Amino acid sequence: MVSVLLAFPVLYAMWGSLFDTEFLGGEQDFVGLQNYVDLFKDPDFRSSITRSLVFVTGCLVLGISLALVFAFALNKAAGFLRFLRGVTVVPYLVSGVATAVMFRLLFNQEFGQVNRALEFLGIDGPAWFSSPALAMVATIIAQTWSDLPLAVLVLLGGLQTIDPSLLDAAEVDGASGWHRAWYVSIPLIAPQIALATVWFSYSTLTSLGVVLALTGGGPVNATRILPVALYETAFLDLRTHAALAIAIIILALNALLTLVYVGISRRYDLGN
């Protein structure tokens, strides 16, 4: 029953993407894969795919790196500091729109705290949301902050399953804290790292709230990733058939990336 409930929206979207329909109903003309062909002929759509891959890559690199740092720090926390583990989930509880508003204020050119910090260091604060490259950077940071908690908790759970005797043995052999983390802990939590990577990939590739509220896809479409393109196609252009095709493409990209991550993880496990 659960499988049917999960599969029905996907099958419906696949079937609907094969028709030419209007937002308000009307006749449905079967067009086969023409909607997909038209999308890939559109240079703006192809650019949206490229921007989405840049967005996902940036969030993955920044997110997994920070998640590892925070997970190791929280794993060492004791006593009063244990409450930080509960605080870790707070960003995940904040809505995408609220996150966007907060980061819009933080990166404000005139009074944002980021530019004030840069000015303290003698650097002129830029107009973050006027530059295509900087707007993408700010969006990646905001999205990573929103998705980070779950990845931290997953990695923390992995660290807490490691047998302390392995770390003690490495310490006796003269391994420093960095070497114990890199050569012992991280290889042992490879499955959790793979799971966190899949989560970040899925969340960023389907993210709409943060990006739409923070930049609206601008400036000059610099942050118009696939979910924004889907939103504009469905609710601004009123082309639901094309929007369904975009949704299927996003699903296919997510499935492909997940298979890649799982394949790399399995190869890593076999190699060890």
Side-chain angles (χ1 to χ4, degrees), residues 56 60 196-206 254 257-258 261:
V56 170
L60 276 177
T197 301
V198 170
W199 158 248
F200 256 107
S201 176
Y202 164 78
S203 182
T204 54
L205 196 53
T206 57
N254 261 319
L257 291 175
T258 299
Y261 303 144

Side-chain angles (χ1 to χ4, degrees), residues 118-142:
L118 292 175
E119 290 172 2
F120 179 78
L121 298 174
I123 303 173
D124 291 333
W128 289 89
F129 299 108
S130 298
S131 165
L134 292 179
M136 178 60 80
V137 171
T139 306
I140 287 173
I141 293 173

Side-chain angles (χ1 to χ4, degrees), residues 147-159:
D147 292 336
L148 189 61
L150 185 57
V152 172
L153 294 178
V154 168
L155 297 182
L156 179 60
L159 289 174

Side-chain angles (χ1 to χ4, degrees), residues 39-118:
L39 284 173
F40 282 102
K41 284 183 178 179
D42 184 358
D44 288 336
F45 178 75
R46 295 198 301 270
S47 296
S48 293
I49 295 178
T50 302
R51 285 188 289 267
S52 294
L53 295 177
V54 171
F55 182 63
V56 170
T57 302
C59 289
L60 276 177
V61 173
L62 179 61
I64 297 301
S65 300
L66 289 177
L68 283 169
V69 171
F70 285 121
F72 275 105
L74 291 173
N75 193 45
K76 295 294 185 181
F80 179 72
L81 292 179
R82 290 185 183 275
F83 86 98
L84 291 175
R85 300 183 185 186
V87 175
T88 302
V89 303
V90 170
Y92 187 67
L93 302 178
V94 179
S95 70
V97 174
T99 298
V101 171
M102 180 178 67
F103 277 89
R104 188 84 189 184
L105 295 174
L106 285 173
F107 285 101
N108 185 277
Q109 183 181 7
E110 301 298 329
F111 55 81
Q113 297 302 313
V114 174
N115 277 4
R116 286 191 177 185
L118 292 175

Side-chain angles (χ1 to χ4, degrees), residues 154-209:
V154 168
L155 297 182
L156 179 60
L159 289 174
Q160 292 180 336
T161 64
I162 296 177
D163 187 349
S165 64
L166 297 175
L167 298 174
D168 293 339
E171 185 176 7
V172 170
D173 290 339
S176 64
W178 166 256
H179 285 90
R180 292 197 302 273
W182 186 257
Y183 293 107
V184 180
S185 297
I186 290 180
L188 289 175
I189 62 169
Q192 287 80 11
I193 293 176
L195 179 59
T197 301
V198 170
W199 158 248
F200 256 107
S201 176
Y202 164 78
S203 182
T204 54
L205 196 53
T206 57
S207 172
L208 176 63

Side-chain angles (χ1 to χ4, degrees), residues 21-24 232-241:
T21 61
E22 297 297 332
F23 183 76
L24 297 179
E232 292 179 351
T233 301
F235 299 106
L236 300 183
D237 299 338
L238 305 184
R239 295 188 296 126
T240 54
H241 54 282

